[in-house]
Amino acid sequence: MRKRSAVRSPPAKASPATSRLRLRLYVAGGAPNSLAATANLTVLLDTHYAGAYTLEVVDVLTSPEKAVRDGVLVTPTLMKLAPSPIQRLVGNLSDSARLLLLLGRP
Amino acid sequence: MKPPLRQSPSALAQRLSESEATIQALLAGQIDAVLDTSTGTPVLLAKAQAALRRSEEQLQAQAIIAREAADRTQYALTSARMGIVELDLVADRFSWSPTTAALHGLRPDQAPTTREAYLSLIHREDRQSVESAIARTIADGQDHSTDFRVVWPDGSAHWMSGRGRVIRSADGTPLRIVGVTMDISEVRTLQAQLSQSQKMEAIGQLAGGIAHDFNNLLTVILSYSELLIPSLAPSDVRRDDLMEIRRAAEAAAAMTRQLLAFSRQESADPKVLAMDAVIAAGGKMLHRLIRENVTLVMSLAPDTGRVRCVASQMEQVLMNLAVNAQQAMPRGGSLTISTENVTLVEDDSSQFLPLAAGRYVALRVTDTGKGMDDATKSHIFEPFFTTKGVGEGTGLGLATVYGIVKQSHGGILVESAVGSGTTFSVLLPRVDDALHATVVADQVPRVGTGTVLLVEDDPAVRQIVLRTLQHYGYQVLEASDGAAARVIALEHQGPIELLMTDVIMPGVGGREVAEMVRELRPETKVLFVSGYTDDAGLRTWVAATKLDFLEKPFTPDALIRKVQAVLASQPVPLAAAVQTEAGSDRQRVMDQMSVVVYSLDASDCIVGVNEAWVASAELNDGAAVLPPGIIGRSLWECIVDSPTKAVYRGLLARVRERGEPVRFEFRCDTPARRRLLEMRIAWTPSAAGPVVSFTTRPVRVESRASMALLDTGTPRSSEVLVMCGWCKRISDGRGNWEEVEVAVERLQLVGRPILPAISHGMCEDCRHTMTALMAGDTPPGTEATLGAWTASTVTP
């Protein structure tokens, strides 16, 4: 019964404040821009979203199939998976204003 | 897959904006890799590729460095016989570095894995102390260090030193103990050997010190009894009493000699002798000493080499070892004495006296007696250690052997086991020198003539020697120390045939006294007296110079015999390399010149000189430097070279300004003598106005091989050497100044018929010293020494 009602209940309205931030960063091993992107992203996340995000780092040198599936053409590429919409940001993520915009915080 | 055209306009717009951003990022160089969508392979851009390669190379380099560091650590641990151990306190897991296994005699795969297993490797008696050290470390957090034994699988025990530290979590919970362990078995053995040798050394010093004072007392007792005995009639009962006193004193003297032999301070004159001959001679006496139930076997190899020793001492070694061996066989047995040549291939420090590799001659004394355990063996050479009952042995026998062998630079090997006898092997270095010829003692005349200067600090000994010498007809001048002796040597009218001086005295020692007296009276013969020559340098000096030496305690008879012998001999030079210019009056005056004085008036004119000055000026080529009719002439006419003039001007100015004297020492060498003179320049008021006096006296004079370079009589070439007028060193022209001997050697001047001319100059050192002296930077009455020599700088 409970299961049923759960299915039928309307989906909660997605909101940047309540939905957990889910990210995937595509990098190319220890290449300089990949390292910079990783560092820039983690610093910013720890400052603004400490404990409230999930980050998956994918190395295209070891797992290229994931990148192909996600339609990623270059690295570093950051994919915001949740909250929707899915968005991408390419580059070393040194522009923190743009990064925050992507993450949903103006 | 959805065709792109079916995408919503907003999604399309987003894709477009992302593509634009991608192109911007590409242009900004923020892209590392592009994925080939057809194959799914990432293609690294050149820059990223290079960077990745670099970081990979760095990683490799780091790995190499890490591996090398690990290798080094491994090597250090292995060679230092160290191991690293770790005890995980939480999981009770024990681990160690691979090097640790070897320290426990184990294979690497036999490593213990628990605390209990590790502790089981430790010697039962030490386990408790290791456990409590661990507990203490955990409790108080301090590093701990403890020495303990570990037992190897073969049952042998090995000493280890362990140090440990506890590692704690953030909240202070002890997590694990890490430590290092080190094999210290070798250190322990060396420590034991060192403390044994230090103990022997200390006992030796103690014995030697007592023997010194004891000898003085015995000399007095022996001498007085011997002087008194002839004065009593044979029927007088007191005569027997006196003879009893003398016998007791002689016995005491023999014991003192044994003590001195042990502390190897006995002065003896070793000779080159054939070991088998010495032992054969000593062996004859043994037959009388050995009991009937002991079979004496002499097995002397006729080809045994020669050794440097004192025959009587070697006989004593043999006797003591033989008596000892006999006493180890109360129910009889066999005593074998043998000699043989032995070559040690490597150094042996395991024994009582360490032996360097080399050729030796061995004397072996073997018995079939009861043998000794290790505890007894470790004490046998200590004086007064005895296994015999009270009154049966003095405990000095083997101590004497030890002292004699040590003095002869030999070693002793002891092989013994309880119940299976003992072998003592005395090894003395084999020498190739010619055998010493035996000298037959002459008959000594009983009455003598001549004057003896006696220097002895002990009043009782001085008194008895004085009486003995006078008794036999000698005139005696007595002095209690070097200073008094010097005064006598200076002032005594008439000859002094013999200087008899104690070697060890407070203040000026016998050697200095002898040099001082010889300086004043070169014809005087010297006899040294001592019972205690602890000074190694002195012993060497006595041995090297073949000087006459009388050992305390001595009887009047021995004293007179020695005095007669010395007086009958040629005087022995004090320094080994003395080479005097025979019959040179000039030299004699130069050497004896004691005080030279001249004085100046206010205008630097010479107003007076003493006789010694006249003699010295004439002899020191003064005629060339100082014109005759010196009185009234200016000092500055008399000094030729300008640096010297400048120095004297400066010193005079200082003395006049301050009214205080200056004092310095400088070199004034002659071809056959090195002389350090003292110059004192003082200002004195006088009736005719203030005068400045120059006083010179010798401080130190030493003979040397005649230096033709300094002799002005030698033909000179146009080659010029510069000599510093103050320290008498010679310049090599490159700023180095060296002693004449060194320069002569280096320039190969020996044997040249024509020598370089010598010009006088001043070296930098002396210029510096003199400048400070003139400037008055030094305190009043100040001193400076220019050209003092040490033994090493002048040994040709």
Side-chain angles (χ1 to χ4, degrees):
Chain A
M1 284 298 127
R2 287 185 75 162
K3 200 174 178 183
R4 216 176 144 83
S5 70
V7 170
R8 277 167 65 176
S9 64
K13 195 173 161 65
S15 115
T18 55
S19 169
R20 194 178 166 88
L21 183 60
R22 223 150 53 75
L23 301 168
R24 188 175 292 154
L25 177 63
Y26 284 94
V27 296
N33 284 311
S34 299
L35 291 178
T38 313
N40 288 332
L41 178 64
T42 49
V43 166
L44 189 128
L45 287 173
D46 286 338
T47 313
H48 298 279
Y49 298 87
Y53 67 89
T54 312
L55 170 65
E56 181 191 2
V57 179
V58 178
D59 186 350
V60 298
L61 302 184
T62 53
S63 319
E65 69 290 343
K66 236 178 190 176
V68 173
R69 204 166 55 229
D70 274 342
V72 168
L73 296 174
V74 297
T75 64
T77 294
L78 174 66
M79 277 185 82
K80 185 190 73 171
L81 303 172
S84 61
I86 295 174
Q87 284 176 305
R88 296 175 180 79
L89 184 57
V90 174
N92 63 12
L93 309 182
S94 54
D95 186 344
S96 50
R98 216 163 150 187
L99 181 56
L100 280 171
L101 198 67
L102 173 89
L103 300 179
R105 186 172 283 216
Chain B
M1 190 188 281
K2 290 178 198 167
L5 281 176
R6 300 270 302 270
Q7 282 184 340
S8 71
S10 65
L12 197 59
Q14 191 193 326
R15 288 299 283 172
L16 277 171
S17 121
E18 278 175 10
S19 302
E20 199 180 321
T22 303
I23 290 163
Q24 276 173 7
L26 260 171
L27 292 173
Q30 293 189 5
I31 301 300
D32 290 327
V34 178
L35 271 93
D36 182 339
T37 43
S38 59
T39 61
T41 32
V43 180
L44 279 168
L45 300 185
K47 221 167 115 191
Q49 220 164 4
L52 275 180
R53 202 167 42 238
R54 269 200 308 279
S55 71
E56 216 164 277
E57 282 166 4
Q58 275 169 2
L59 277 175
Q60 273 171 6
Q62 277 163 3
I64 290 170
I65 290 169
R67 199 168 52 240
E68 284 177 349
D71 285 351
R72 270 199 295 275
T73 310
Q74 175 77 13
Y75 172 71
L77 288 172
T78 309
S79 58
R81 301 188 60 72
M82 283 176 87
I84 297 175
V85 294
E86 186 167 332
L87 176 62
D88 186 328
L89 296 167
V90 180
D92 183 30
R93 226 196 336 266
F94 181 86
S95 58
W96 67 20
S97 67
T99 52
T100 324
L103 307 185
H104 290 262
L106 296 172
R107 290 193 312 272
D109 61 302
Q110 292 174 307
T113 54
T114 64
R115 175 187 184 142
E116 216 40 54
Y118 175 63
L119 288 172
S120 72
L121 302 174
I122 293 170
H123 195 286
R124 207 156 11 94
E125 289 169 18
D126 299 341
R127 217 169 283 166
Q128 185 57 45
S129 75
V130 173
E131 279 191 285
S132 58
I134 292 174
R136 257 200 325 278
T137 308
I138 295 170
D140 61 17
Q142 302 288 313
D143 292 3
H144 78 79
S145 153
T146 180
D147 288 1
F148 54 92
R149 284 163 293 176
V150 297
V151 182
W152 285 25
D154 64 5
S156 60
H158 299 254
W159 275 101
M160 303 274 270
S161 178
R163 278 151 215 275
R165 161 172 299 190
V166 68
I167 308 286
R168 290 167 193 277
S169 67
D171 63 0
T173 314
L175 297 177
R176 54 190 205 275
I177 292 180
V178 289
V180 287
T181 58
M182 180 164 50
D183 188 325
I184 54 162
S185 304
E186 207 172 318
V187 178
R188 282 258 169 175
T189 312
L190 286 173
Q191 271 172 347
Q193 279 173 5
L194 179 67
S195 73
Q196 172 71 12
S197 84
Q198 277 174 339
K199 186 169 72 183
M200 295 298 265
E201 198 70 24
I203 297 171
Q205 274 176 11
L206 181 69
I210 294 169
H212 167 56
D213 290 335
F214 213 61
N215 268 338
N216 278 343
L217 300 173
L218 289 172
T219 303
V220 175
I221 297 171
L222 275 172
S223 305
Y224 277 113
S225 25
E226 208 160 295
L227 280 177
L228 279 174
I229 288 168
S231 68
L232 297 173
S235 58
D236 196 325
V237 67
R238 288 174 301 172
R239 192 186 164 97
D240 288 343
D241 297 348
L242 267 175
M243 283 169 87
E244 207 50 50
I245 292 174
R246 188 179 65 179
R247 257 195 297 280
E250 274 166 356
M255 220 165 135
T256 316
R257 258 197 297 280
Q258 284 196 318
L259 270 179
L260 279 169
F262 166 71
S263 64
R264 55 125 185 45
Q265 282 154 359
E266 190 185 38
S267 307
D269 189 10
K271 304 267 188 317
V272 175
L273 301 165
M275 180 75 111
D276 54 335
V278 176
I279 300 308
K284 283 177 195 151
M285 278 187 284
L286 281 183
H287 287 285
R288 287 198 293 275
L289 272 171
I290 300 300
R291 287 192 315 269
E292 282 171 1
N293 63 353
V294 173
T295 317
L296 178 63
V297 183
M298 299 283 279
S299 158
L300 306 182
D303 62 338
T304 47
R306 293 188 280 271
V307 294
R308 194 178 295 280
C309 67
V310 180
S312 61
Q313 287 186 345
M314 277 320 291
E315 282 173 12
Q316 190 172 9
V317 166
L318 174 65
M319 213 64 70
N320 291 3
L321 290 177
V323 167
N324 231 61
Q326 168 177 266
Q327 282 166 344
M329 302 182 285
R331 281 191 296 248
S334 162
L335 168 59
T336 310
I337 291 163
S338 60
T339 56
E340 62 173 312
N341 291 330
V342 172
T343 301
L344 285 188
V345 188
E346 51 188 47
D347 294 358
D348 184 352
S349 59
S350 64
Q351 298 294 329
F352 291 96
L353 289 166
L355 286 163
R359 304 185 314 141
Y360 292 88
V361 179
L363 158 67
R364 291 194 209 284
V365 177
T366 305
D367 66 56
T368 54
K370 52 194 175 192
M372 304 177 268
D373 56 19
D374 285 348
T376 308
K377 217 164 102 176
S378 67
H379 291 292
I380 49 173
F381 293 114
E382 288 169 23
F384 308 116
F385 175 83
T386 178
T387 55
K388 299 159 204 161
V390 177
E392 284 175 50
T394 58
L396 281 173
L398 287 177
T400 308
V401 170
Y402 176 92
I404 291 172
V405 173
K406 185 165 183 183
Q407 192 178 14
S408 312
H409 309 291
I412 308 173
L413 312 178
V414 185
E415 296 150 76
S416 183
V418 174
S420 57
T422 303
T423 298
F424 282 90
S425 306
V426 168
L427 273 69
L428 296 187
R430 202 179 335 159
V431 296
D432 296 319
D433 303 349
L435 279 180
H436 181 81
T438 324
V439 182
V440 183
D442 293 1
Q443 197 66 35
V444 179
R446 284 317 221 179
V447 179
T449 53
T451 305
V452 178
L453 170 53
L454 169 66
V455 191
E456 166 68 64
D457 62 315
D458 186 315
V461 175
R462 193 168 69 239
Q463 192 55 30
I464 187 60
V465 173
L466 173 82
R467 281 197 49 187
T468 307
L469 288 171
Q470 284 173 341
H471 188 82
Y472 286 98
Y474 295 96
Q475 194 200 335
V476 183
L477 308 165
E478 52 173 326
S480 61
D481 56 35
R486 188 172 190 276
V487 171
I488 293 171
L490 267 171
E491 293 179 353
H492 177 71
Q493 305 292 319
I496 296 175
E497 275 80 13
L498 178 70
L499 166 71
M500 185 172 164
T501 177
D502 195 0
V503 178
I504 312 289
M505 291 185 290
V508 182
R511 180 180 174 175
E512 286 77 17
V513 170
E515 280 169 355
M516 216 152 63
V517 171
R518 269 294 179 78
E519 209 53 56
L520 295 162
R521 294 167 179 268
E523 72 289 347
T524 301
K525 286 156 188 167
V526 180
L527 172 58
F528 290 98
V529 183
S530 184
Y532 183 68
T533 49
D534 187 32
D535 182 340
L538 187 77
R539 277 204 302 274
T540 318
W541 177 69
V542 167
T545 51
K546 308 273 176 236
L547 291 164
D548 291 297
F549 196 81
L550 180 63
E551 199 183 319
K552 283 183 198 168
F554 45 80
T555 61
D557 188 62
L559 166 65
I560 291 303
R561 209 186 288 266
K562 190 75 191 179
V563 166
Q564 302 268 346
V566 175
L567 283 173
S569 68
Q570 292 295 314
V572 179
L574 290 178
V578 175
Q579 195 179 325
T580 50
E581 292 173 83
S584 162
D585 285 334
R586 170 199 157 105
Q587 193 60 55
R588 189 162 305 146
V589 179
M590 290 286 287
D591 293 340
Q592 292 179 1
M593 175 183 87
S594 55
V595 178
V596 175
V597 182
Y598 58 105
S599 46
L600 300 180
D601 65 8
S603 56
D604 297 343
C605 284
I606 295 167
V607 291
V609 292
N610 73 347
E611 275 182 27
W613 184 86
V614 177
S616 79
E618 275 173 17
L619 294 165
N620 213 0
D621 297 317
V625 180
L626 302 162
I630 188 84
I631 305 294
R633 308 212 46 157
S634 164
L635 175 69
W636 312 117
E637 286 176 45
C638 307
I639 300 174
V640 276
D641 71 304
S642 49
T644 311
K645 265 185 195 171
V647 168
Y648 274 107
R649 276 189 204 282
L651 294 175
L652 270 176
R654 178 182 170 177
V655 170
R656 286 191 172 123
E657 256 169 47
R658 306 208 180 177
E660 293 157 351
V662 289
R663 199 196 83 90
F664 60 91
E665 288 168 10
F666 68 104
R667 283 282 281 279
C668 186
D669 291 355
T670 71
R673 295 281 190 277
R674 227 173 256 117
R675 302 188 310 168
L676 192 64
L677 302 188
E678 178 200 66
M679 167 76 85
R680 189 168 179 277
I681 308 177
W683 181 91
T684 333
S686 83
V691 293
V692 174
S693 64
F694 291 72
T695 311
T696 313
R697 74 173 183 88
V699 175
R700 194 173 163 198
V701 181
E702 193 176 89
S703 309
R704 67 170 164 204
S706 189
M707 274 291 130
L709 189 66
L710 297 176
D711 198 328
T712 47
T714 315
R716 302 280 161 170
S717 67
S718 57
E719 189 187 342
V720 180
L721 292 175
V722 182
M723 177 185 273
C724 174
W726 299 98
C727 65
K728 291 293 184 285
R729 289 182 302 171
I730 284 188
S731 165
D732 64 357
R734 290 193 304 273
N736 300 319
W737 294 82
E738 48 199 9
E739 283 281 342
V740 178
E741 277 82 355
V742 181
V744 164
E745 176 87 359
R746 197 176 50 75
L747 300 169
Q748 299 178 339
L749 298 177
V750 180
R752 280 208 216 169
I754 300 176
L755 291 169
I758 296 180
S759 134
H760 279 262
M762 194 165 176
C763 72
E764 282 307 309
D765 292 347
C766 291
R767 196 183 300 276
H768 185 76
T769 310
M770 277 306 188
T771 308
L773 201 61
M774 286 187 281
D777 294 345
T778 43
T782 192
E783 306 193 9
T785 299
L786 307 135
W789 68 88
T790 59
S792 60
T793 62
V794 295
T795 305

